[in-house]
Amino acid sequence: MRRKALVLVAAALCVQAAFAGRIKTVLSSSQDLWRGAPAGTRVSEDGVITTGPAFERIADIPGTPLCALQLNGATIVGTGPSGDLLKVEGPKVKILHHFAEPLITSLAMAPGGNVLVGTSGPARIYEVNPASGEAKLAAEIPAQYLWAIANEGGGLVAASGVPGKLWRIAGGRAPEQVADFNAAHARCLLQEGGTLWIGTASPAALYSMAGEGTPRLVATLPQEEVAGLALDGKTIIVAANEKTESASSAPGKEQQAAAQASSDSKGAAIYRLERQAVLVPVRSLDSTILSTTFGPGGAFAGTKNGALVEIAGAKVSLVSRWPKNPVSALVAGTSQPEAMTSSPGALYQPSAGSPQRPAYYVSPVIDASTPSRPGVLSGFGGGGFSLDIRAGNSPEPDAFWSAFVPAGDSGNLPPSRYFQWRAAIGAPGAFLNGTAFSYRPVNRPPVLEDARVGPPGEISVKNQSQLGERLVQEIHEKDRPFPSLAMSKPSDSPPQTYYLYGFRMISWKASDPDGDDVRVDVKLRPEGSTGWITLADSVADPFYVFETRALPDGRYQIELSANDGLSNPEGDALTTVRILPLFEVDNTPPAVVEKGRDKGFLVMEASDNTAVEAARFSVDGKPWEPVEMKGLIGAKQATLQVPLPPAGRHFLAIEVVDPYGNSAVKGFFVP
């Protein structure tokens, strides 16, 4: 068993000291490590990073590589959407033949050294001389797609799509249907000794056929498509995709090629076909499998997200990745396969001789969700490795990211939202099987919204008890200018509006983008003053109610200061301040003066500092009745005409109220 050592890469002490608050730590997992990019390294099934193969870019491929084979040291490549057959020798790329069909979807060797070329749109088979590029039509298949060709004895078999059938071509005769799989596509073929294996799509199934017999159903799969078959020694590897957008649904040439090389998928699964025809799951992948091939020590699969995966027995390893470049074609090599990518098209070959050391592994991007200061990056492993880190503010590294710096210098990186680490494996025996990265989000100030001073006396709360025992005794409903006593509401009721004479309610919405605990300080100052009076500090509720009856008449301002000091160390806390518009305080009741009696009316004049809001009268203690006011609505003065009672001795009461709940009552005996 390997002895595991813990290698800690400390950040600068000044950065570490600032981490007294909300430190967040990201631990790598095998799933995370499989999303990274090895370069001369490999990632095992359980996420251990060791030295591995390296690949070199040999040539640029015009178009999208869809299939390939090796011939006398050269690589023959079929492409789309131009329908070009290419011959690649080192960095040189030559067009052997241009076909009228848009897609070259399958290649095989013909007896005598010529190349069999299968095209799609429509499905045809050509025999091409690899020296001259001369092409001769060998067969026309009544189908839209020609997915695979295999040699069978003295003839050929071909797998078609739309419809999904198996065909036999022999002796220059017209293609003979061997089997109709009742599927959209017969997607792939594998010749193993005297047995031919066939994988289908829509639905996904695996068939076997011995010699010139009838195909036999071996297994059905829960996925949508059997995308590829390969040999791992004497064991068959089955690659299946969850959901694909095949070329059959793409209307144009470019869309067809793109669909073939970059299928849309929820993921894929790799199986091993064991004895008694049992499919044993090996691993699930998070991307579509586009290509498969065999190797001396196992099988290989290329995926849409640029991964090259090696399957050796029950072990699966990630051996390379070309981010954003789907691995659309593979060709078996002496140790590692040749890989062809699309978007853009390129041919990669295993590096000759021993891989250059150190070898590297680049992690997937870590999203801190908010600008953060990097801290300690720790590596778990042994044998000699080092860690670097870089940072940026775009989801993918670009020219505006920082360069990689040693992890010990992470404190010099600017606060960033995204981070990425790189491991250098310095020797064949070195390994890394996990990392821990700590960071601290940069504190952001609280947010204050919808801050306001409510109308005079209006209090909105869920329950009267929120106002305290003293205030509950004075609370009333504001259902009209002359309030009546309110009834308490249940605590689970929505906010209710009450009327509390002589009080004002300040309300706000306080939040914090970092989820910090926010408290609010409330201050008051008279108009024209520079000094603030603290009404309350560290208020947790989204409101504050204060009494105005003791304040002199005049106009005032409120200052709200929201701070996150309870969630941040001293020096890092932030405050957001809002100064609210002026509001008026009026504690003086209206004045009511008798002006005389005229034609059965008692004429009164009411005046107030702010406005005369309403008036009412009562005769001999009977229910109050409204009084019509003469004058401009909301004016500081109003004339009242109170009807005199009928003949006899009576007591007449008149009440006038202003907008602040101040009232004046005047009584008369008449006549």
Side-chain angles (χ1 to χ4, degrees):
M1 182 177 180
R2 294 176 177 174
R3 182 177 66 86
K4 296 181 180 179
L6 170 63
V7 180
L8 292 179
V9 186
L13 292 178
C14 61
V15 176
Q16 181 70 16
F19 277 29
R22 298 167 288 103
I23 297 176
K24 297 185 179 182
T25 300
V26 176
L27 296 175
S28 62
S29 65
S30 59
Q31 292 89 341
D32 292 333
L33 296 175
W34 263 65
R35 293 189 294 109
T41 57
R42 70 168 65 232
V43 183
S44 69
E45 173 78 20
D46 54 0
V48 178
I49 302 171
T50 56
T51 55
F55 289 82
E56 297 179 71
R57 185 167 182 157
I58 301 301
D60 295 333
I61 304 295
T64 298
L66 300 179
C67 53
L69 58 77
Q70 282 202 335
L71 178 64
N72 301 325
T75 303
I76 308 299
V77 182
T79 68
S82 60
D84 288 329
L85 183 67
L86 308 177
K87 185 176 183 179
V88 184
E89 294 179 286
K92 297 180 180 179
V93 179
K94 174 185 177 182
I95 298 179
L96 274 182
H97 192 86
H98 172 75
F99 291 91
E101 297 84 353
L103 306 176
I104 299 175
T105 44
S106 58
L107 296 173
M109 290 302 302
N114 284 343
V115 178
L116 294 173
V117 178
T119 65
S120 293
R124 292 177 179 149
I125 299 176
Y126 294 88
E127 187 171 340
V128 178
N129 185 317
S132 65
E134 182 181 354
K136 179 178 65 175
L137 180 64
E140 291 193 62
I141 308 297
Q144 188 171 356
Y145 300 96
L146 197 293
W147 292 119
I149 308 170
N151 287 292
E152 182 194 42
L156 301 175
V157 289
S160 69
V162 190
K165 294 183 179 183
L166 185 67
W167 306 86
R168 181 175 286 113
I169 302 103
R173 297 191 299 269
E176 174 189 354
Q177 177 179 312
V178 177
D180 185 345
F181 299 107
N182 292 317
H185 301 273
R187 190 65 178 82
C188 47
L189 299 175
L190 174 66
Q191 189 76 49
E192 182 207 15
T195 302
L196 181 69
W197 298 87
I198 309 104
T200 67
S202 302
L206 179 65
Y207 295 83
S208 68
M209 187 177 75
E212 295 187 4
T214 302
R216 179 179 65 89
L217 177 64
V218 175
T220 58
L221 288 80
Q223 287 78 24
E224 179 74 13
E225 171 191 57
V226 176
L229 301 170
L231 279 175
D232 173 12
K234 293 185 178 180
T235 303
I236 294 176
I237 299 299
V238 180
N241 289 327
E242 293 288 348
K243 180 183 179 183
T244 63
E245 181 188 0
S246 69
S248 62
S249 63
K253 293 182 180 181
E254 294 184 5
Q255 291 87 342
Q256 290 173 349
Q260 171 63 9
S262 308
S263 304
D264 181 23
S265 171
K266 297 179 181 177
I270 298 173
Y271 295 89
R272 293 175 60 85
L273 184 64
E274 301 287 358
R275 293 181 179 179
Q276 287 89 36
V278 176
L279 283 177
V280 177
V282 177
R283 183 181 174 91
S284 295
L285 301 178
D286 61 358
S287 182
T288 307
I289 294 174
L290 301 179
S291 52
T292 55
T293 192
F294 60 90
F300 296 87
T303 69
K304 176 188 175 183
N305 63 6
L308 178 61
V309 176
E310 181 179 13
I311 307 104
K315 297 181 179 179
V316 183
S317 302
L318 173 68
V319 295
S320 192
R321 186 186 297 279
W322 296 271
K324 292 187 175 180
N325 303 128
V327 182
S328 54
L330 293 173
V331 179
T334 56
S335 59
Q336 300 292 318
E338 289 188 351
M340 274 140 281
T341 64
S342 56
S343 302
L347 170 64
Y348 293 85
Q349 291 180 346
S351 299
S354 300
Q356 184 179 355
R357 295 291 181 257
Y360 290 97
Y361 168 85
V362 180
S363 77
V365 172
I366 299 170
D367 184 359
S369 299
T370 181
S372 302
R373 298 183 183 278
V376 173
L377 175 60
S378 308
F380 306 90
F385 65 86
S386 62
L387 295 173
D388 299 328
I389 189 170
R390 64 179 175 179
N393 287 305
S394 54
E396 297 179 1
D398 56 23
F400 301 101
W401 274 52
S402 73
F404 277 109
V405 300
D409 295 333
S410 64
N412 297 326
L413 292 174
S416 304
R417 173 171 173 173
Y418 300 97
F419 300 92
Q420 188 176 52
W421 55 265
R422 180 180 66 184
I425 307 296
F431 68 97
L432 177 69
N433 60 1
T435 60
F437 172 57
S438 297
Y439 61 91
R440 181 172 181 268
V442 174
N443 190 32
R444 291 174 290 179
V447 177
L448 266 176
E449 300 176 291
D450 298 339
R452 62 189 292 267
V453 178
E458 283 194 10
I459 313 296
S460 294
V461 291
K462 284 191 172 184
N463 188 274
Q464 297 170 11
S465 62
Q466 290 181 278
L467 301 176
E469 294 181 0
R470 181 177 68 86
L471 300 182
V472 170
Q473 304 303 317
E474 304 188 50
I475 200 166
H476 294 77
E477 287 181 347
K478 189 186 178 185
D479 56 351
R480 51 184 181 270
F482 305 99
S484 59
L485 187 65
M487 295 182 63
S488 178
K489 303 292 183 181
S491 59
D492 59 350
S493 298
Q496 304 290 324
T497 300
Y498 300 95
Y499 183 77
L500 185 59
Y501 168 69
F503 288 81
R504 298 295 282 267
M505 181 175 188
I506 309 163
S507 60
W508 59 84
K509 287 183 181 178
S511 60
D512 191 277
D514 304 316
D516 293 343
D517 189 356
V518 178
R519 299 300 171 93
V520 176
D521 298 339
V522 184
K523 296 180 180 180
L524 172 96
R525 72 177 177 188
E527 182 182 19
S529 174
T530 58
W532 291 96
I533 301 166
T534 299
L535 297 179
D537 54 21
S538 196
V539 178
D541 292 323
F543 65 88
Y544 179 71
V545 177
F546 69 104
E547 188 171 359
T548 59
R549 287 179 290 191
L551 293 175
D553 290 357
R555 292 193 291 184
Y556 295 83
Q557 276 186 304
I558 292 291
E559 179 190 88
L560 301 177
S561 299
N563 67 85
D564 57 8
L566 293 179
S567 300
N568 291 278
E570 185 176 356
D572 281 358
L574 296 175
T575 299
T576 298
V577 177
R578 293 285 183 271
I579 297 178
L580 306 188
L582 288 164
F583 67 96
E584 193 159 14
V585 170
D586 179 5
N587 292 314
T588 303
V592 183
V593 178
E594 181 180 354
K595 288 297 187 177
R597 304 185 185 193
D598 180 31
K599 299 178 181 178
F601 289 92
L602 178 64
V603 180
M604 311 289 295
E605 184 176 272
S607 60
D608 187 76
N609 293 337
T610 53
V612 178
E613 182 176 356
R616 61 181 181 176
F617 76 98
S618 172
V619 178
D620 299 336
K622 292 182 175 61
W624 292 94
E625 297 181 44
V627 174
E628 183 180 359
M629 299 189 300
K630 303 291 187 180
L632 188 64
I633 296 174
K636 294 184 177 182
Q637 289 185 329
T639 299
L640 312 178
Q641 288 185 325
V642 182
L644 294 169
R649 188 71 168 169
H650 300 279
F651 175 72
L652 181 63
I654 300 169
E655 183 178 14
V656 179
V657 67
D658 67 13
Y660 294 86
N662 304 305
S663 66
V665 180
K666 192 150 188 153
F668 301 88
F669 285 102
V670 293

